[in-house]
Amino acid sequence: MKKWKQLALITTLLLLINYFFSDRLNLHILYNLMVIFFATQTFVLFKMDEWIPKEWFIQSSLLKIIIRLLASMIFALVLITTYEDEFNLVVQFLSIYLIFMVFEIGSALTNLRRN
């Protein structure tokens, strides 16, 4: 349950950054779409944990990282080819990607520790 609260907190904070600091930070018009994409992607990947057997947990953690990377690359490619201001878009996309990736790796590491 802790990871769901953290996911909601990260998503809310990123959306509030756009709401309050959009003009100062020169955020791209697709910033909210990117945040929602990564939040949805993280939600689906967390749901995968419930479907995968416990003995495959380590392999599934690595598989989820690869799935996130491939899906993000496809999403970024679509955004870059259809919208303007590519540099700003890519920088913001990578920063949001890294935020959610650090969150996922951090939650995976806490589950891999021995008691």
Side-chain angles (χ1 to χ4, degrees):
M1 189 64 172
K2 183 179 175 184
K3 65 183 177 183
W4 297 106
K5 290 179 184 178
Q6 290 174 344
L7 175 62
L9 179 68
I10 289 172
T11 305
T12 305
L13 286 176
L14 289 173
L15 291 174
L16 287 175
I17 286 172
N18 185 33
Y19 182 74
F20 289 114
F21 303 110
S22 179
D23 296 334
R24 289 187 219 153
L25 296 177
N26 192 22
L27 296 176
H28 198 272
I29 58 171
L30 296 176
Y31 179 82
N32 282 343
L33 178 67
M34 292 185 286
V35 171
I36 292 170
F37 169 76
F38 282 114
T40 305
Q41 186 182 45
T42 305
F43 176 77
V44 170
L45 292 175
F46 280 162
K47 285 305 237 178
M48 280 178 57
D49 285 341
E50 297 173 6
W51 305 327
I52 297 174
K54 296 290 183 192
E55 60 270 4
W56 294 352
F57 183 74
I58 295 173
Q59 292 88 349
S60 70
S61 296
L62 296 173
L63 179 66
K64 289 189 312 184
I65 291 171
I66 293 169
I67 290 172
R68 176 184 295 281
L69 175 68
L70 293 175
S72 299
M73 289 172 67
I74 292 169
F75 185 68
L77 180 66
V78 169
L79 292 180
I80 289 170
T81 57
T82 56
Y83 288 94
E84 300 173 351
D85 195 14
E86 290 89 7
F87 180 75
N88 197 9
L89 177 78
V90 170
V91 169
Q92 291 173 21
F93 186 86
L94 289 176
S95 64
I96 296 170
Y97 174 80
L98 290 175
I99 290 170
F100 279 97
M101 182 57 74
V102 167
F103 168 63
E104 183 180 350
I105 291 173
S107 64
L109 287 178
T110 59
N111 292 332
L112 295 176
R113 290 187 193 147
R114 294 182 187 224
N115 293 332

